[in-house]
Amino acid sequence: MTPSQELIARVRAAADGSPYVVEERPYGFDLTIDIVDTTWWTVLRKNAVKRVFTHQVRLDQGRRRLSISDVSNEVRWDAGVGPAGRPSLHAEKQVQKGRVYEFSSEKQWGADGATGEIGRVVDYTFRAGEGRDLIRRAAKPLGWSEGMGREQKIGLAAAIFALGLVVVIGVVAGVIVLVS
């Protein structure tokens, strides 16, 4: 068994019995959780939400180094009667990628879109760090270390560039004031 296969097996074992699913990928593996996927009716509208959160784990087997990039996907829509009694449709999609720090909780009541039963149709609490912690706990005893993912490196480079630009502008402004 290669070091990568051993790590994937460890993560899969740690995720067993949890809502997380491990899928092997050419770059390593994904650890994914379906946070919510439901449709429901309220008095005048049909609503739907689907939230999926994935930790994309890239493995460098030779160096026993991994990077974790978070991908948060959410799709929401609702349709029904809007203000003034006109039909309306609203849809939105949101994607975040990189290092996502999130704690969210949502509760919605209505009539279940599949069964028609009235009650709580959306009920979840989610913390993005749980999946990263699961991966790290499996990787550390095997000698794996963690590095920054591509998105994190790009964000860091952009922040350093912006800081440098602010310093240069400040110096130029200072020189202009002194010369005047």
Side-chain angles (χ1 to χ4, degrees):
M1 183 179 283
T2 68
S4 294
Q5 291 169 330
E6 186 178 9
L7 174 58
I8 293 168
R10 276 255 178 135
V11 172
R12 191 170 272 131
D16 190 37
S18 78
Y20 288 95
V21 175
V22 176
E23 279 191 58
E24 289 188 49
R25 301 285 185 203
Y27 52 78
F29 66 93
D30 288 348
L31 180 68
T32 301
I33 181 172
D34 283 329
I35 300 169
V36 64
D37 185 1
T38 190
T39 59
W40 71 98
W41 288 90
T42 54
V43 176
L44 297 174
R45 307 192 73 69
K46 185 170 185 179
N47 307 271
V49 62
K50 179 169 178 64
R51 292 201 60 210
V52 177
F53 198 94
T54 301
H55 301 284
Q56 293 178 335
V57 184
R58 297 189 182 282
L59 302 177
D60 181 344
Q61 181 171 271
R63 296 172 49 203
R64 283 193 187 238
R65 194 155 175 82
L66 62 87
S67 66
I68 305 170
S69 293
D70 304 329
V71 183
S72 175
N73 280 290
E74 180 175 3
V75 176
R76 290 180 174 270
W77 65 265
D78 60 81
V81 179
R86 295 190 183 139
S88 71
L89 172 66
H90 171 256
E92 67 182 75
K93 176 165 176 63
Q94 180 180 23
V95 178
Q96 295 176 307
K97 189 170 183 179
R99 182 53 46 101
V100 178
Y101 294 97
E102 174 185 340
F103 174 82
S104 59
S105 182
E106 182 176 358
K107 294 179 185 338
Q108 293 269 349
W109 286 263
D112 185 281
T115 66
E117 291 182 28
I118 295 178
R120 195 176 302 172
V121 291
V122 177
D123 185 5
Y124 72 85
T125 300
F126 173 70
R127 187 177 70 82
E130 289 174 349
R132 285 190 303 273
D133 292 345
L134 185 147
I135 295 162
R136 290 173 181 146
R137 281 192 306 270
K140 190 172 183 169
L142 298 175
W144 287 80
S145 62
E146 184 177 353
M148 286 193 290
R150 182 180 65 222
E151 292 82 8
Q152 294 157 309
K153 289 177 184 175
I154 291 169
L156 181 60
I160 290 170
F161 176 77
L163 181 61
L165 190 60
V166 168
V167 169
V168 168
I169 290 171
V171 168
V172 169
V175 168
I176 290 173
V177 168
L178 288 175
V179 172
S180 314

